[in-house]
Amino acid sequence: MMSTALKIGTAGVPIPAIRRGPRVVRVALAGCGTVGGELVRLLHQGADEIRARHGLRFELVRVLVAHGERPRPGELDRALLTTDVDTFLATDADIVVEAIGGLDPALRIARATLAAGRRLVTANKALVAAHGPELAEMALRHRGRLDFESAVMGGVPVIRALREPLSLTGIRSIRGILNGTTNYILSRLEDGWTFPAALAEAQARGFAEADPSRDLSGEDAADKVRILAWLAFGADPERLEVRRRGLGDRAERLAHAAGALGGVARLVAEAARLPEGVVVSVEPVLVGAASELGRTRDEENAVVIESEWNGRVRLSGPGAGGAPTASALLGDMVRSAVCHRAPADGGTPSIPDRRPHAWAIAVERGQLPEAALRATLDRVDVEVHRIARGKGVSVMRTQPTPWPRIGLAVRALEGQGLAPAVLRVGE
Ligand code: HSE
C-alpha cells in the first residue's frame, strides 16, 4: 500500500513528500536589557508562530552583555553570555541584533557586521542618526543588510513607510511625537502628578533611556527625527541643524502654561522641506487637547506625514517599551529589506528655521508685574498678544515671531531672574 507520505509523480512513479524543516537562522544579540531581554522572551514564546508563518527558526548563538552577573530572562541559556566584544564579533551568526544603545561599542559591532557582509538589525537611534548613511553604504557595498525599524517610534512601522520607494513620494513634512517618556510625563502632569513621580513611573515601565536626560532634553527625539529626515528628504542626518528644546527642568511649568491657554503641551518633532532646504526642530508645542497630538497620551507616539501625492498619512501606536520595540526588531529579522542609498553630495541642505510662529512664554506668577513683562519682550521686538494666568504661572502668548527673537526674549527674562518655559503654539 502506498504511504500517505508519497505522491504520484507524472510518470506514475511515487515520489517522497519533501518535509521541509524550518530554516535555521543563527542570531547574535548585543544587549539583553529592557529591549534585548524582551526579544529573548519573544523568540521563545513566538517560535511556533515564526516557524509556521515564515519557515524560520531563530537560534540564539551568542549574547553580549555589559554585566555578566545581572539577572536575565529565564528563557536565556546563560552559557551564551559574553561580556567580551571580540568574542561576540568572532561568533558565526547570520544576523546580528544590536540593542545596547549608545555609540560604543555599537558602532564597532555595526561596522564589523556589515563589513563581513552580514545582516544587522538595530534598535539604536543614536547610532543610525550619527552613522546611518555610512552603514547603509557599507551594507550595499558588502551585500549585507541594515534594518532599524525599531529605532524610531517603537512598534509603529514608520521606517518601512518611508523606505518603501513607492509608498510616499513628494514628502513635504513629518510632524509628531517621537518620544514616549516625555509624552508619558506630560500626560501624568495633566492628571495632577508631580514631575519626579511621573519620571519614576516612566522609568519603571521601561520607557526611559538608561540616561533619561536624553529623553528630557529632546536628544532622543532629535535622533529619531534626523533619521526620518534622512529617509524622507535624503538629508545627511548627522549634518542636520536641529532646533532642540526639551522639557528640561520646566516640565510642570510647561504643562501649567498650556493648561492656562486651554490646551496641552507636547514635545513635537518636525522636519519640513522648504525651497531652500530642510528645517528640523524638537520642542514643546501647545496643542489643542482634542487635536491629533493632544489626544496622543502616555507612551503613545504619533506622526503625520504630509506628501504632495499621498496627502496626509498618520501613523500612531506604542512608541516605547520593551515588548513593542522587540516586536519591531523581530519584524526586521524576518523581513527582507531594501537597502538605502547614502545621500549624494551631502544631501539636501539643512537650514535654520526662521518661520514665524506664535509662542507661549510662561514665567512664575507674581515675580514681575505684567507691564514689566510686556516691556521686556517689547525691547527685543516681540509683541505680546495676550497674557493668561494659570496654576502659578503667567503666560504671554506672542504674535507670530521667528525663533531667534524668542531666544532673545528668553535671555532677557532670564536676565531679570526669571526662568521662562516656552511652548510653540501649534494646532
Ligand atoms: N526612551 C525612548 C522613548 C524609548 O521614551 O521614546 C523608545 O525609543
Side-chain angles (χ1 to χ4, degrees):
M1 216 177 90
M2 209 165 56
S3 146
T4 51
L6 297 179
K7 291 197 288 188
I8 304 297
T10 45
V13 181
I15 51 169
I18 300 170
R19 272 182 169 275
R20 283 217 189 96
R23 186 159 59 85
V24 175
V25 181
R26 293 161 58 84
V27 178
L29 169 65
C32 196
T34 304
V35 174
E38 207 59 52
L39 180 66
V40 170
R41 278 187 280 269
L42 185 54
L43 285 174
H44 187 78
Q45 286 166 21
D48 288 346
E49 191 182 336
I50 295 165
R51 189 184 306 119
R53 283 183 62 195
H54 308 292
L56 297 173
R57 184 164 71 77
F58 289 114
E59 185 188 343
L60 270 181
V61 292
R62 188 73 78 209
V63 178
L64 177 69
V65 291
H67 309 279
E69 301 314 315
R70 283 207 183 145
R72 303 292 168 190
E75 294 85 351
L76 181 64
D77 174 2
R78 292 192 78 96
L80 302 179
L81 291 180
T82 180
T83 54
D84 181 50
V85 178
D86 291 317
T87 305
F88 178 79
L89 289 175
T91 308
D92 179 24
D94 303 304
I95 299 181
V96 173
V97 179
E98 188 269 300
I100 36 181
L103 292 183
D104 181 28
L107 179 58
R108 193 176 147 215
I109 292 170
R111 283 180 174 152
T113 300
L114 295 170
R118 294 207 173 116
R119 179 173 175 175
L120 177 73
V121 172
T122 177
N124 190 330
K125 49 250 165 167
L127 176 74
V128 179
H131 296 280
E134 172 206 327
L135 297 176
E137 170 66 26
M138 280 186 84
L140 265 182
R141 190 156 18 103
H142 298 285
R143 296 174 179 273
R145 269 178 179 158
L146 170 67
D147 290 291
F148 48 91
E149 183 64 72
S150 53
V152 184
M153 294 183 81
V156 183
V158 65
I159 299 294
R160 210 171 346 148
L162 294 175
R163 283 184 97 173
E164 293 294 333
L166 293 177
S167 63
L168 287 160
T169 31
I171 296 174
R172 293 197 189 105
S173 67
I174 300 173
R175 177 172 187 268
I177 294 168
L178 302 181
N179 181 267
T181 301
T182 45
N183 210 57
Y184 184 85
I185 291 172
L186 290 169
S187 304
R188 290 292 76 77
L189 293 178
E190 283 153 31
D191 297 341
W193 290 36
T194 63
F195 173 75
L199 173 59
E201 186 64 17
Q203 289 177 296
R205 289 175 178 237
F207 304 149
E209 296 300 292
D211 171 7
S213 69
R214 284 191 56 79
D215 295 297
L216 299 174
S217 63
E219 285 167 276
D220 178 82
D223 282 342
K224 292 165 176 169
V225 74
R226 282 176 205 275
I227 295 171
L228 299 186
W230 165 38
L231 299 180
F233 306 127
D236 184 340
E238 201 188 357
R239 287 162 55 182
L240 279 173
E241 180 175 329
V242 182
R243 181 171 76 213
R244 175 175 60 80
R245 297 185 302 113
L247 303 188
D249 56 358
R250 295 177 196 170
E252 291 185 12
R253 182 163 296 176
L254 291 167
H256 296 155
L261 293 174
V264 293
R266 292 290 178 262
L267 189 67
V268 175
E270 183 175 2
R273 192 209 305 257
L274 304 182
E276 314 80 36
V278 176
V279 290
V280 188
S281 60
V282 173
E283 60 194 350
V285 172
L286 170 69
V287 299
S291 68
E292 220 154 1
L293 298 185
R295 281 184 278 112
T296 304
R297 285 178 58 85
D298 302 338
E299 76 277 19
E300 195 182 5
N301 282 192
V303 79
V304 178
I305 304 169
E306 301 242 20
S307 75
E308 198 171 332
W309 303 101
N310 204 21
R312 281 163 66 87
V313 172
R314 304 176 185 84
L315 292 168
S316 63
T325 312
S327 167
L329 271 178
L330 180 59
D332 272 351
M333 288 164 66
V334 295
R335 187 182 309 118
S336 292
V338 178
C339 291
H340 256 269
R341 65 184 166 83
D345 304 329
T348 316
S350 164
I351 56 167
D353 189 354
R354 296 192 199 283
R355 293 173 299 169
H357 296 285
W359 305 83
I361 308 176
V363 294
E364 196 179 327
R365 204 149 122 204
Q367 278 199 302
L368 268 191
E370 287 180 359
L373 291 173
R374 274 183 195 274
T376 304
L377 265 60
D378 200 43
R379 276 199 292 281
V380 289
D381 214 12
V382 173
E383 194 180 337
V384 175
H385 170 64
R386 69 184 174 99
I387 300 187
R389 289 176 204 134
K391 195 173 161 189
V393 289
S394 293
V395 192
M396 292 165 275
R397 194 186 188 288
T398 74
Q399 297 289 8
T401 310
W403 167 255
R405 266 193 271 150
I406 299 298
L408 292 179
V410 167
R411 280 197 287 284
L413 291 165
E414 285 173 345
Q416 294 179 309
L418 301 173
V422 183
L423 290 155
R424 198 178 81 209
V425 178
E427 299 161 44

